Amino acid sequence: MSSTLTDELKNRRPENVKILCQLLSIPSVSADPQCADSLHQAAATLSELFQIAGTGWSCEVVPTAGYPIVWARYRALGNRRRAIVYGHYDVQPADPLDLWTTPPFEPTLRDGKIYARGATDDKGQMLTHILSALAWMKTAGQLPIDLDYIIEGEEEVGSENLERFLAEHRDELKADVAVISDTSQYAPGWPAITTGLRGIFACEVRVHGPRKDLHSGVFGGAIPNPIRELTRLLSLLHNEHNEVQVPGFYADVVPLTDADRAGFAELPFDQDAFLAETGAIGLRGEAGFTPLEQRWARPTLEFNGIYGGYTGPGPKTIVPASATAKITCRLVANQNPDVLMKSLEVFLRSQLHPSCRLEFTADHGCPAFLMDRQSPFLQAASKAIEAGFGKAPVFIREGGSIPVVATFKRLLEIDTLLLGWGQNTDNLHSPDEHFSIEDFHRGTLASAILWEELAKV
Amino acid sequence: MSSTLTDELKNRRPENVKILCQLLSIPSVSADPQCADSLHQAAATLSELFQIAGTGWSCEVVPTAGYPIVWARYRALGNRRRAIVYGHYDVQPADPLDLWTTPPFEPTLRDGKIYARGATDDKGQMLTHILSALAWMKTAGQLPIDLDYIIEGEEEVGSENLERFLAEHRDELKADVAVISDTSQYAPGWPAITTGLRGIFACEVRVHGPRKDLHSGVFGGAIPNPIRELTRLLSLLHNEHNEVQVPGFYADVVPLTDADRAGFAELPFDQDAFLAETGAIGLRGEAGFTPLEQRWARPTLEFNGIYGGYTGPGPKTIVPASATAKITCRLVANQNPDVLMKSLEVFLRSQLHPSCRLEFTADHGCPAFLMDRQSPFLQAASKAIEAGFGKAPVFIREGGSIPVVATFKRLLEIDTLLLGWGQNTDNLHSPDEHFSIEDFHRGTLASAILWEELAKV
């Protein structure tokens, strides 16, 4: 990259922080209907930023059934590559307000960090990719890659209108790769690329016994107890090695490579600190895997809730009518949520005692995401981060799901580069959310270099 | 028994029904504070009945912290035996009122039955034992047995003040046997003596995992899930033969004799009707025992409630902090509730995975009751019922507990004759409660004969 661009980014630092503060001072809380005007204001502010970009740029604030999507496009003759940049301008609610050191929508600099709701999630991180493009335009008059920015205002409330937008504009959104900065570095000084996300499916299992709650003295001993049957069924789902016992559950799992495992093993992981953070007195994970592997790269079957019979204070002598469990499975690459949800149902039905009835309710599913470690786009991003942060990134994964990544894969058939500039400790979704100013500038630099590296692929 | 007494009872029928109706017209609902005056009125009405009895009688309305206990005593020189008659003058609430054919506190005769709240439970049944004594006094001027009537007003709300009364008057309440008519015949035309009640203990088991609910994507796979651990522990408590697996659970059980089993087997039991009544699609009881044996004479471990994690609509992706189960065990003769509750706790703790903590909360316990089939008092009661109902009674048991029976055994060291004049179908605790007038008169006759038969023992 040209030293002119590097210098430009250095010079623009005060101006970039000013733009960030302007955006952070808008209380664009998507969950709060009283903030509706602020959400439109945030979208308009972003749109204005793109207006100043110059030749080749266009920007549209696209209405949806909810809050609008800011869709900015850059096109230049001769560019071979195109990337989609996804981000969101809405933020989490700020309460409890009294736990904030300074007001959530009065951005404040303290100890090298900017404190405000949305500082890291996602205004600060998302903005780096806009500011990097503006610097390119200012110094080179052009960008080496075509870009589509899709910045929505409903991420914190379920992105209900995003998928329809993507489906409607599918043909216009052809691209080589997507870029999102809405994750974190592994730890301070450990820049990271998230190369995998787990998928998920959710379901509810209800066992029915008698028609209504019965007197346990009069009927107990002869009539089936649905709590007993449900707990018996659930106990069949794991073995003593904490392996899931649904037939075929692991059949399609992409195994961890030696390189994956070696990479995870190099990451600092403090088990005592992890336990202290969770308050659990011990670990309990699938035998043969480390905690990071268990959380990032292995599927799970987790009980999220259970209820049945009497749940108030003291005893009540009944045989209950039914008992219900809520189950989610986290999936890894190549596992099919629909197939496995059916396998779970078939297995439970095959084990059911004939004195009880079983009701199975399927809920949403989403496949896992795993980036090919040999992908040239991944290598390009790695170079950009090394240049921007002064240290090569580690490859990490996340145990949760980011639905838009699966949607990009399904609808647009592209992978997503998850480039986290923030830290896990930035108080996302909590009071005193913040973002390191240094990471903000490093991220902007890495983003500027990324456009060049992606263009070279 | 003298034909004079039999004639007297026949002649008194209209008068006895009138007394019953007078008592039934008092809305003595112990659960309703607005009925307080009625409860005192019911106690006073009973007291007045005893005032007319004559020589040898005394009656006291004993105040308690709640509603008073009517304590009537009959003493005569030369009587060798003494019985305690227990009953209660309070009744269940009558709502829903719109489901009553005639108002609950306006006793109405229809089809040979008297309809009113308390008709069978327990005003009608209890009254037979007073009316039988009044007939003895009228015809013979004396009774062949000493009697203590203890009629409380808090049975439907937990008998909180009864035990203190019994403990305080323990020395004055020395007796050979107790008599209660607050159960039922086995079926119409099947007069019965209930010779066994199951005991009970109740407890709560809570498994703790992490300190608070955790994100199942970020933490799931490495952190213990307390619902999984609870359901695993609960699944260890029964085997496939529906036998309880707590070590020593059956050690002290008094086995069913051949005579017990033969007696139960002679009773009509319609399995299809039983299933239809409960709405269950199949039975599930301890292998090797019939449904009546399972419900009357075998101990059980029953799950009454379970809860943990998210129980609202839809999915929630958490590893919950804890999960809780409510357990009651029904016990049979010779099983010790305290010992078995401890055995259950010790067993669960021995099976607990070290990544979880277990909290065990013990609640109340009460031993089972089993009458010696060779007891001469039981034979005396059998003769009285055969004479009163024209058919020998069958010996049945109940799966539930009647705490006062255990209290009589523990404090006064006496057995209780459970002589049910009513039917299971009399709508106890439901709208349109009723009592057959014929059973009312038969019960009164059986009671009159009982005093003579018990005196002969």
Side-chain angles (χ1 to χ4, degrees):
Chain A
M1 196 174 70
S2 70
S3 59
T4 323
L5 182 56
T6 316
D7 291 343
E8 171 67 15
L9 281 170
K10 272 204 184 119
N11 294 336
R12 289 172 79 97
R13 284 185 172 197
E15 173 66 13
N16 285 351
V17 170
K18 204 174 139 197
I19 293 170
L20 174 58
C21 289
Q22 186 193 354
L23 196 59
L24 290 175
S25 64
I26 305 169
S28 49
V29 178
S30 49
D32 183 355
Q34 297 198 316
C35 293
D37 287 350
S38 295
L39 281 126
H40 289 283
Q41 191 194 336
T45 302
L46 288 172
S47 174
E48 281 161 26
L49 261 184
F50 287 112
Q51 305 304 334
I52 61 169
T55 311
W57 288 84
S58 61
C59 180
E60 210 178 324
V61 177
V62 184
T64 73
Y67 292 117
I69 290 169
V70 178
W71 183 18
R73 277 166 285 182
Y74 176 74
R75 300 286 184 272
L77 279 176
N79 278 346
R80 291 172 43 249
R81 295 293 180 192
R82 191 186 296 172
I84 291 174
V85 179
Y86 166 87
H88 62 95
Y89 60 81
D90 66 321
V91 298
Q92 278 278 310
D95 49 289
L97 290 175
D98 56 330
L99 293 186
W100 285 80
T101 308
T102 47
F105 298 107
E106 295 178 17
T108 309
L109 273 163
R110 268 198 316 278
D111 307 327
K113 294 165 191 140
I114 189 148
Y115 284 82
R117 169 58 81 229
T120 186
D121 177 16
D122 178 45
K123 286 173 176 173
Q125 298 207 74
M126 171 265 288
L127 203 56
T128 61
H129 296 299
I130 303 175
L131 300 175
S132 66
L134 295 181
W136 268 97
M137 295 305 295
K138 182 78 181 293
T139 53
Q142 61 180 30
L143 269 155
I145 183 171
D146 284 359
L147 294 170
D148 277 78
Y149 290 81
I150 298 167
I151 306 169
E152 68 158 323
E154 299 180 305
E155 198 268 354
E156 303 290 4
V157 289
S159 300
E160 269 186 37
N161 297 294
L162 179 66
E163 178 151 339
R164 178 177 300 176
F165 169 86
L166 294 175
E168 277 173 7
H169 299 281
R170 191 174 168 163
D171 294 336
E172 300 156 86
L173 289 171
K174 288 199 182 307
D176 298 293
V177 74
V179 175
I180 303 179
S181 289
D182 200 13
T183 50
S184 298
Q185 299 184 50
Y186 181 69
W190 289 80
I193 299 178
T194 299
T195 61
L197 299 168
R198 289 198 289 190
I200 191 171
F201 72 78
C203 62
E204 202 175 85
V205 179
R206 181 167 297 171
V207 172
H208 295 274
R211 187 185 307 113
K212 56 181 182 181
D213 295 352
L214 298 177
H215 191 294
S216 71
V218 178
F219 295 94
I223 288 296
N225 184 315
I227 296 178
R228 180 185 159 205
E229 181 58 8
L230 178 67
T231 56
R232 192 186 69 82
L233 288 174
L234 299 187
S235 77
L236 302 175
L237 296 174
H238 296 88
N239 66 8
E240 71 273 29
H241 305 300
N242 305 314
E243 293 161 341
V244 177
Q245 297 298 289
V246 177
F249 190 75
Y250 297 100
D252 297 326
V253 167
V254 172
L256 280 160
T257 64
D258 290 345
D260 290 330
R261 305 191 79 166
F264 291 176
E266 278 169 18
L267 298 172
F269 176 75
D270 181 338
Q271 183 170 313
D272 291 339
F274 180 67
L275 284 175
E277 178 193 352
T278 65
I281 59 170
L283 295 175
R284 191 176 198 180
E286 192 186 351
F289 297 93
T290 68
L292 281 186
E293 291 168 351
Q294 289 160 353
R295 291 157 60 208
W296 287 353
R298 296 296 300 173
T300 64
L301 186 153
E302 209 71 71
F303 305 121
N304 313 114
I306 193 166
Y307 61 96
Y310 177 68
T311 58
K316 189 177 181 190
T317 51
I318 54 165
V319 177
S322 71
T324 306
K326 288 172 183 288
I327 298 176
T328 48
C329 285
R330 294 285 171 174
L331 306 178
V332 298
N334 276 15
Q335 289 186 296
N336 182 314
D338 298 331
V339 168
L340 288 178
M341 183 134 57
K342 193 69 199 169
S343 300
L344 173 60
E345 179 180 359
V346 166
F347 177 67
L348 290 171
R349 291 197 185 283
S350 75
Q351 300 295 320
L352 182 69
H353 192 270
S355 65
C356 293
R357 286 181 302 115
L358 189 144
E359 189 182 340
F360 187 96
T361 310
D363 207 294
H364 70 270
C366 156
F369 166 72
L370 185 62
M371 187 104 188
D372 178 3
R373 286 280 291 273
Q374 306 308 317
S375 156
F377 298 112
L378 192 58
Q379 291 166 6
S382 190
K383 276 187 209 165
I385 289 174
E386 183 165 5
F389 283 76
K391 190 171 175 186
V394 288
F395 298 106
I396 63 173
R397 301 193 193 179
E398 264 199 17
S401 310
I402 303 180
V404 68
V405 174
T407 308
F408 282 154
K409 188 78 181 180
R410 190 176 77 251
L411 284 180
L412 310 180
E413 295 171 4
I414 54 172
D415 283 337
T416 298
L417 295 165
L418 295 163
L419 313 176
W421 310 145
Q423 299 290 346
N424 275 321
T425 49
D426 283 347
N427 291 339
L428 293 79
H429 295 210
S430 297
D432 277 352
E433 179 178 345
H434 57 269
F435 188 24
S436 152
I437 289 292
E438 198 54 45
D439 282 338
F440 174 62
H441 295 314
R442 284 175 182 148
T444 307
L445 177 58
S447 173
I449 300 166
L450 179 68
W451 309 140
E452 193 166 41
E453 293 295 336
L454 289 178
K456 286 189 206 161
V457 170
Chain B
M1 197 172 71
S2 70
S3 60
T4 325
L5 183 55
T6 317
D7 291 344
E8 170 67 12
L9 281 170
K10 273 203 184 118
N11 295 336
R12 288 173 79 98
R13 285 187 170 195
E15 173 66 13
N16 284 350
V17 170
K18 203 174 139 198
I19 293 170
L20 174 57
C21 288
Q22 187 195 350
L23 196 57
L24 290 175
S25 64
I26 304 169
S28 49
V29 179
S30 50
D32 183 353
Q34 297 198 315
C35 292
D37 287 350
S38 295
L39 282 126
H40 289 282
Q41 192 194 337
T45 301
L46 288 172
S47 174
E48 282 162 27
L49 261 184
F50 288 112
Q51 304 303 333
I52 59 168
T55 311
W57 287 85
S58 63
C59 180
E60 209 179 323
V61 177
V62 184
T64 73
Y67 293 117
I69 290 169
V70 179
W71 182 18
R73 277 166 285 182
Y74 175 74
R75 299 287 184 272
L77 278 175
N79 276 348
R80 290 172 45 249
R81 294 295 181 191
R82 190 186 297 172
I84 292 174
V85 179
Y86 166 87
H88 61 95
Y89 61 81
D90 65 321
V91 298
Q92 277 278 312
D95 50 288
L97 291 176
D98 56 330
L99 294 186
W100 286 78
T101 308
T102 48
F105 298 107
E106 295 177 16
T108 309
L109 274 164
R110 267 199 317 278
D111 308 326
K113 295 166 191 139
I114 188 148
Y115 284 81
R117 170 58 81 227
T120 187
D121 177 17
D122 179 45
K123 286 174 176 172
Q125 297 208 74
M126 172 265 289
L127 204 55
T128 61
H129 297 299
I130 303 175
L131 300 175
S132 65
L134 295 181
W136 267 97
M137 294 306 295
K138 183 78 180 294
T139 53
Q142 62 181 29
L143 269 154
I145 185 170
D146 285 359
L147 294 170
D148 278 79
Y149 290 81
I150 297 167
I151 306 170
E152 69 159 322
E154 299 180 306
E155 198 267 354
E156 302 292 4
V157 289
S159 300
E160 269 186 37
N161 296 293
L162 179 66
E163 178 151 337
R164 179 177 301 177
F165 169 85
L166 294 174
E168 277 174 8
H169 299 281
R170 191 174 169 165
D171 294 336
E172 300 158 85
L173 289 171
K174 290 201 181 304
D176 298 295
V177 72
V179 175
I180 303 180
S181 289
D182 199 15
T183 49
S184 299
Q185 300 183 51
Y186 181 70
W190 289 80
I193 299 178
T194 300
T195 61
L197 299 169
R198 289 198 288 191
I200 191 172
F201 72 78
C203 61
E204 202 174 84
V205 179
R206 182 168 296 170
V207 171
H208 295 273
R211 187 184 308 115
K212 56 181 182 179
D213 294 353
L214 298 177
H215 191 294
S216 71
V218 178
F219 295 94
I223 288 295
N225 184 315
I227 297 178
R228 179 186 159 205
E229 181 59 8
L230 178 68
T231 56
R232 192 186 68 82
L233 288 174
L234 299 187
S235 77
L236 302 175
L237 295 174
H238 295 88
N239 67 8
E240 71 273 29
H241 306 300
N242 305 315
E243 293 161 341
V244 178
Q245 297 297 289
V246 177
F249 190 75
Y250 297 100
D252 296 326
V253 167
V254 173
L256 280 160
T257 64
D258 290 346
D260 290 330
R261 304 191 79 165
F264 291 176
E266 277 169 17
L267 298 172
F269 176 75
D270 181 337
Q271 182 170 315
D272 291 338
F274 181 67
L275 284 175
E277 178 193 350
T278 64
I281 59 170
L283 296 174
R284 190 175 198 181
E286 191 186 351
F289 296 93
T290 68
L292 281 185
E293 291 168 352
Q294 289 160 353
R295 292 156 60 209
W296 287 354
R298 297 297 299 172
T300 64
L301 186 153
E302 209 70 71
F303 305 120
N304 313 114
I306 193 165
Y307 61 97
Y310 176 69
T311 57
K316 189 177 179 188
T317 51
I318 54 164
V319 177
S322 71
T324 306
K326 288 173 184 287
I327 298 176
T328 48
C329 285
R330 295 285 171 176
L331 307 178
V332 298
N334 277 15
Q335 289 187 294
N336 183 313
D338 298 330
V339 168
L340 288 177
M341 183 134 55
K342 194 68 200 170
S343 299
L344 172 60
E345 179 180 359
V346 167
F347 177 66
L348 290 172
R349 290 197 186 282
S350 75
Q351 300 295 320
L352 181 70
H353 192 271
S355 64
C356 293
R357 286 181 302 116
L358 189 144
E359 189 182 339
F360 187 96
T361 309
D363 208 292
H364 69 271
C366 157
F369 165 72
L370 185 62
M371 187 107 187
D372 178 3
R373 287 281 290 275
Q374 305 310 317
S375 157
F377 298 112
L378 192 58
Q379 291 166 8
S382 189
K383 275 187 207 163
I385 290 174
E386 183 164 4
F389 284 76
K391 189 169 174 185
V394 288
F395 297 105
I396 63 173
R397 300 194 193 178
E398 263 199 19
S401 310
I402 302 180
V404 67
V405 174
T407 308
F408 282 155
K409 188 78 182 179
R410 191 177 76 253
L411 283 181
L412 310 180
E413 295 171 2
I414 54 173
D415 282 337
T416 298
L417 294 165
L418 295 163
L419 313 177
W421 310 145
Q423 298 292 346
N424 275 321
T425 49
D426 283 348
N427 291 340
L428 293 79
H429 294 210
S430 298
D432 276 351
E433 179 178 346
H434 56 269
F435 188 24
S436 152
I437 287 293
E438 199 55 45
D439 282 338
F440 174 63
H441 294 315
R442 285 174 182 148
T444 307
L445 177 58
S447 173
I449 301 166
L450 179 68
W451 308 139
E452 194 166 41
E453 292 296 336
L454 289 178
K456 286 189 207 160
V457 171

